[in-house]
């Protein structure tokens, strides 16, 4: 009597394991239209945010420009700085899982370089860059977790 129950329980556990495995695979997908550079975190948050802009500028300008999006993701912290050159949008995520912090428009390569050169951190973006209104916010592709 218990043998049939054990067999049924084992099959149920196997099915549950397969479902979880398939679902978890979806969370680790890499979007081929996004060129992602992963960098090590710096000690200070301000230094990290400035470094992200510097790294993003170099990453984009040295690329072959074949991707739709370019981004820098900080290892362990998960902060994201995402650039959409075609739309000239810069999108920021300071805390993964908290969604995007803001989106800024009219960001060309000159403006992107200016952000790094002037050591602008995320909290200064609102005063220094043109914010994209919430009604105009565009969905961006990322290999991170905003």
């Amino acid at each position: 009597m218990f043998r049939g129950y054990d067999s049924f329980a084992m099959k149920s556990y196997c099915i549950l394991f397969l479902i979880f495995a398939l679902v978890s695979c979806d969370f680790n997908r890499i979007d081929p239209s996004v060129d992602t550079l992963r960098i090590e975190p710096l000690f200070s948050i301000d230094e990290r945010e400035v470094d992200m802009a510097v790294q993003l500028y170099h990453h984009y300008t040295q690329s072959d420009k074949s991707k739709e999006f370019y981004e820098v993701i900080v290892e362990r912290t998960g902060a994201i700085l995402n650039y959409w050159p075609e739309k000239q949008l810069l999108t920021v995520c300071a805390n993964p899982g908290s969604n995007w912090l803001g989106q800024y428009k009219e960001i060309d390569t000159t403006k992107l370089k200016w952000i790094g050169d002037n050591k602008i951190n995320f909290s200064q973006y609102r005063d220094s860059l043109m914010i994209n209104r919430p009604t105009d916010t565009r969905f961006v592709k990322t290999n991170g977790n905003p």
Side-chain angles (χ1 to χ4, degrees):
M1 179 172 173
F2 289 111
R3 273 193 186 162
Y5 177 75
D6 288 341
S7 176
F8 175 75
M10 188 61 148
K11 287 179 186 176
S12 297
Y13 288 129
C14 287
I15 290 171
L16 281 174
F17 174 77
L18 289 174
I19 290 171
F20 287 128
L22 290 172
V23 169
S24 68
C25 289
D26 189 45
F27 293 121
N28 295 324
R29 285 195 310 186
I30 301 298
D31 191 320
S33 66
V34 182
D35 191 347
T36 303
L37 174 65
R38 295 184 185 275
I39 62 173
E40 291 298 317
L42 297 175
F43 296 110
S44 145
I45 292 173
D46 289 339
E47 288 176 331
R48 178 190 74 208
E49 293 173 356
V50 170
D51 185 53
M52 289 175 75
V54 170
Q55 295 284 346
L56 181 59
Y57 171 77
H58 290 297
H59 180 59
Y60 175 68
T61 57
Q62 294 174 4
S63 74
D64 64 3
K65 316 288 186 293
S66 64
K67 302 291 183 173
E68 188 178 6
F69 295 89
Y70 296 82
E71 67 184 358
V72 171
I73 298 178
V74 179
E75 293 290 348
R76 293 189 299 267
T77 69
I80 306 167
L81 191 57
N82 183 290
Y83 182 52
W84 190 356
E86 180 185 332
K87 303 292 183 191
Q88 294 189 331
L89 292 175
L90 185 66
T91 310
V92 178
C93 172
N95 298 315
S98 299
N99 214 340
W100 296 105
L101 179 64
Q103 189 171 76
Y104 303 90
K105 60 184 178 179
E106 298 180 16
I107 307 293
D108 58 8
T109 53
T110 304
K111 191 64 147 181
L112 194 59
K113 184 177 186 326
W114 178 87
I115 295 167
D117 288 348
N118 288 284
K119 301 185 183 327
I120 308 289
N121 63 32
F122 293 171
S123 64
Q124 297 169 319
Y125 279 20
R126 289 191 181 271
D127 298 329
S128 306
L129 305 173
M130 192 178 308
I131 193 161
N132 205 15
R133 295 183 313 206
T135 55
D136 295 333
T137 299
R138 305 286 299 263
F139 174 77
V140 298
K141 295 178 184 176
T142 180
N143 288 323
N145 182 27

